Structures are given as C-alpha cells and as structure tokens.
Amino acid sequence: MTISLDYRDQIAVLTLGDDENRFSPEWLDAIDGHLAEVEDRALGLVTTGLGKFYSNGLDLDWLMAHGDRMQWYVGRVQALFARILTFPLPTVAAVNGHAFGAGSMLAIAHDFRVMRADRGYFCFPEIDIRIPFTPGMAALIQAKSTPQTAVMAMTTGHRYGGAEAHGAGLVDDTAAEDGLVEASIARLTPIIGKDKGTLSAIKSTMYAGVLDALRTDGT
C-alpha cells in the first residue's frame, strides 16, 4: 500500500496506491487522514492510482475473514463516498486504469472524472459477483448517471473503456496516460477558490437523498 499526497501549486494530488488499491480498513484510515490535510491546505483535489488500477474497490479478502464486521465496514466505505461527494473543494478522479465496483463508486462520487483513453475499464460488476447494491450505492450511481446508463451499468455489469465511458457520461473527458493528471488539474484550475463552506453546503443540498441513503445501513 503506497499512498502518497503531493501538491501542484494549490491542487492536491492524492495517489491511492500502486496495486489494486482495495479498501482495507488501513487504506481507509490513511485516505481519511490525507483528506483532512487536503481540506486545510489545498484549493482542489485530484485522486489517481499508479499502474494498472485506479481501484478495485471492496477488500473482499478482508470481508471474508471478518464477516461479523460487515455492517461496520460498509458504513466506513459509504462514509468515504459521502465525504468525497460533499468535499469542500472541487474534485476530479483521474482514472488511470481499471475502476471496478466500489472503486468506480469512489470515482463517480467526485465532481468530475477524466479517464485514461487507451486502457482500463469502468465497471460495476455487482450483478456478476452476486453482490446487490446497497441503497446508498445505488443512489450514488443513479445520481451521477442518466437513467439508461444506470440500467446498463448496474444490471449488466458492462465494462466501459475510456471512450465509451465518456460517451455514456460516466466520465467527463479522456486523456493519454502521461497527461491524465495534468488534464485533471487543468479542469480544476479555472474553478478553484470558491468558499469551502458554501461549496460543501451546496453539494450537501444537491445530494441530500444520496447522503441519507449512504448514511443508513444497507447491509
């Protein structure tokens, strides 16, 4: 788990890791700590991964070993989604590779998404791995996609490459791998500097129903 945080002028770039970047409790703790620093120091946030994966989402191995803590774990994951959804800074997910399941949900919780054009899939595979969406997860995806895209993505497990994800509205733009973070920063630069409290309040109002669902246990 190699999570790192650096700054490009006033924009924070949070690297989620260099492997599958699954949501272990330790990973969640580390991400929460970095987000607290970003809130204090930065004017915008970009998240990305290194190599093949943006994030493969839930740590299924941890869940298999700690089945008695599933409710707690799902609550932690959904709290992260809620935090990103209402983050007091503009946010972009720079999707460098595969984003599956909860990894795609993390990306879609950002204000904007820029995806690598030539490699990687954006996918909600829950139908194929027989894990129904919680009400909060379903509400999040449906709030950030058109009804027909939500039907296709959620009920078929379709894997979207960069261009197709852009066409479906799951991401806002695509870029080459070596320019992905720069393209994400360029999207943020014109819109940084808004009042943090006002921005967070607006997002909280926009997504009030999603937040209620995320903060209610759906296991």
Side-chain angles (χ1 to χ4, degrees):
M1 181 175 68
T2 306
I3 299 171
S4 64
L5 176 63
D6 64 326
Y7 293 86
R8 312 284 181 90
D9 293 325
Q10 296 174 301
I11 294 175
V13 179
L14 177 58
T15 301
L16 305 177
D18 57 359
D19 51 23
E20 293 188 17
N21 307 329
R22 289 186 179 269
F23 298 178
S24 69
E26 295 79 15
W27 185 93
L28 291 166
D29 287 343
I31 293 296
D32 276 338
H34 285 308
L35 290 176
E37 177 183 329
V38 170
E39 286 189 31
D40 289 337
R41 293 188 55 189
L43 295 181
L45 170 67
V46 173
T47 67
T48 193
L50 291 175
K52 187 177 179 180
F53 297 95
Y54 176 77
S55 173
N56 257 355
L58 301 183
D59 189 337
L60 299 179
D61 290 340
W62 188 91
L63 268 178
M64 289 284 288
H66 302 86
D68 59 323
R69 300 186 69 191
M70 179 178 289
Q71 182 174 342
W72 171 86
Y73 177 75
V74 171
R76 282 291 310 276
V77 169
Q78 295 194 161
L80 174 62
F81 296 158
R83 185 173 192 179
I84 293 295
L85 191 64
T86 59
F87 206 66
L89 306 173
T91 62
V92 177
V95 184
N96 58 291
H98 298 313
F100 275 73
S104 286
M105 295 175 208
L106 176 62
I108 214 166
H110 290 65
D111 298 328
F112 306 101
R113 287 150 296 286
V114 180
M115 186 172 177
R116 180 174 169 177
D118 65 327
R119 186 176 180 182
Y121 290 114
F122 200 100
C123 177
F124 302 102
E126 281 72 10
I127 184 66
D128 294 318
I129 58 177
R130 301 183 180 183
I131 300 179
F133 297 97
T134 68
M137 293 173 179
L140 173 62
I141 297 166
Q142 289 174 279
K144 290 298 193 83
S145 56
T146 66
Q148 198 55 35
T149 293
V151 169
M152 174 65 77
M154 296 173 69
T155 68
T156 74
H158 183 70
R159 297 184 176 194
Y160 294 83
E164 191 177 10
H166 187 206
L170 291 169
V171 302
D172 300 280
D173 205 352
T174 60
E177 179 186 17
D178 60 0
L180 185 66
V181 171
E182 288 71 19
S184 300
I185 290 171
R187 179 171 283 273
L188 282 183
T189 300
I191 58 173
I192 61 174
K194 310 297 184 184
D195 178 75
K196 293 180 181 180
T198 304
L199 181 58
S200 182
I202 288 173
K203 292 180 183 181
S204 294
T205 301
M206 289 175 66
Y207 302 117
V210 180
L211 293 169
D212 286 345
L214 286 171
R215 290 166 178 163
T216 301
D217 173 47
T219 59

